Amino acid sequence: TRIGKCEAVGNVCSFNQFFKLDPAVMRTWGQILRACPGVNLTVVTSPFHQQAVPKMAWVMGIPQNRIHVQQSLPLAKHVNRSADCFLHIDTAHQSGHTTAVDVSWAGVPSISRVRESFGSRGAASILYSAGLQDFLARNMDDYAQMVIRLLSK
């Protein structure tokens, strides 16, 4: 699928637990970040998992300095840092549950993919219940195009 370019500048975030990242999601995020060279990705990880960031950047095909790593924070600070993000991008096979609620509290839109398994439906259920069906992607191509479209506005 051909992906357009965008001129956006800012941050997209994924505050989901690091184990929820998989190569397919990282490749899709890389596709988004390559299409939007002024956009960086902020992730939350433990010091132990931080060593995986160079490989993550390699899988995404982007420079490592476009991935900003933050540590876990107490709830109030965690919700407040969400305001620094233009958009929260969810993981696919194991979606955000509490994270989807946290970023919603901060007023940050979240993009998620609709899937079948329980672990992958959490964020989609929250978005659907909030009347935000327009933020639900059918597949990873739709997800990438949706994120780029939103970043381009």
Side-chain angles (χ1 to χ4, degrees):
T1 300
R2 186 162 166 79
I3 299 292
K5 296 285 183 187
C6 76
E7 302 299 321
V9 175
N11 289 311
V12 293
C13 302
S14 180
F15 292 144
N16 297 340
Q17 294 181 40
F18 206 70
F19 75 85
K20 295 181 179 183
L21 301 181
D22 62 63
V25 167
M26 286 190 276
R27 282 191 298 273
T28 301
W29 289 355
Q31 185 180 24
I32 293 164
L33 293 169
R34 288 189 308 274
C36 303
V39 174
N40 294 314
L41 171 66
T42 299
V43 295
V44 172
T45 187
S46 67
F48 175 77
H49 288 113
Q50 194 164 350
Q51 64 191 356
V53 171
K55 184 173 183 181
M56 186 175 166
W58 179 80
V59 169
M60 290 182 181
I62 62 168
Q64 183 178 337
N65 66 355
R66 292 190 58 203
I67 301 174
H68 301 170
V69 178
Q70 295 184 1
Q71 304 304 312
S72 295
L73 294 174
L75 179 60
K77 289 181 179 182
H78 170 64
V79 171
N80 287 338
R81 77 167 154 204
S82 298
D84 293 335
C85 297
F86 176 76
L87 185 65
H88 179 265
I89 52 177
D90 197 18
T91 50
H93 297 291
Q94 184 79 10
S95 76
H97 294 81
T98 306
T99 302
V101 173
D102 293 345
V103 297
S104 295
W105 280 351
V108 176
S110 186
I111 298 292
S112 189
R113 181 174 170 206
V114 178
R115 295 187 51 103
E116 295 294 320
S117 71
F118 172 77
S120 67
R121 292 193 314 261
S125 295
I126 291 164
L127 291 169
Y128 186 84
S129 296
L132 299 171
Q133 296 88 332
D134 291 344
F135 292 86
L136 298 173
R138 297 178 309 274
N139 54 53
M140 292 310 280
D141 286 337
D142 187 36
Y143 175 102
Q145 291 173 4
M146 187 179 296
V147 171
I148 291 168
R149 197 169 44 251
L150 285 168
L151 289 171
S152 297
K153 290 186 175 186

